[in-house]
Amino acid sequence: MHSRERLMADIWGYDHIGDGRTVDVHIARLRRKLGTAHRHRIVTVRRVGYKYVPEQPESSHTSLCHRP
């Protein structure tokens, strides 16, 4: 999980003048660029920040159950 404050410090530096909305706007743009197939990988954690949810590899059991 990544807090808005931590993202601002790591990306723009500690002396950046801005607030958490700056991060929110950039996350929205990033999600748009990722498209519908991958935008769900960046999850909003209310009042905290964001977390990345990587793609889960399909297990052999699941793939066997879904074969036509």
Side-chain angles (χ1 to χ4, degrees):
M1 191 166 0
H2 306 280
S3 71
R4 287 175 178 86
E5 293 79 18
R6 181 63 185 204
L7 288 168
M8 284 187 63
D10 288 349
I11 295 168
W12 291 284
Y14 286 101
D15 56 348
H16 176 74
I17 298 173
D19 60 12
R21 291 296 302 155
T22 302
V23 175
D24 296 341
V25 169
H26 284 280
I27 291 292
R29 290 178 181 165
L30 179 58
R31 284 177 174 152
R32 227 175 324 189
K33 288 181 180 185
L34 289 172
T36 56
H38 299 288
R39 69 175 46 167
H40 65 278
R41 304 231 179 270
I42 301 173
V43 177
T44 302
V45 181
R46 294 187 76 166
R47 297 184 190 93
V48 177
Y50 299 92
K51 71 177 180 176
Y52 172 72
V53 179
E55 186 173 2
Q56 299 296 321
E58 206 173 319
S59 70
S60 59
H61 175 69
T62 304
S63 62
L64 290 174
C65 293
H66 293 292
R67 287 189 180 170

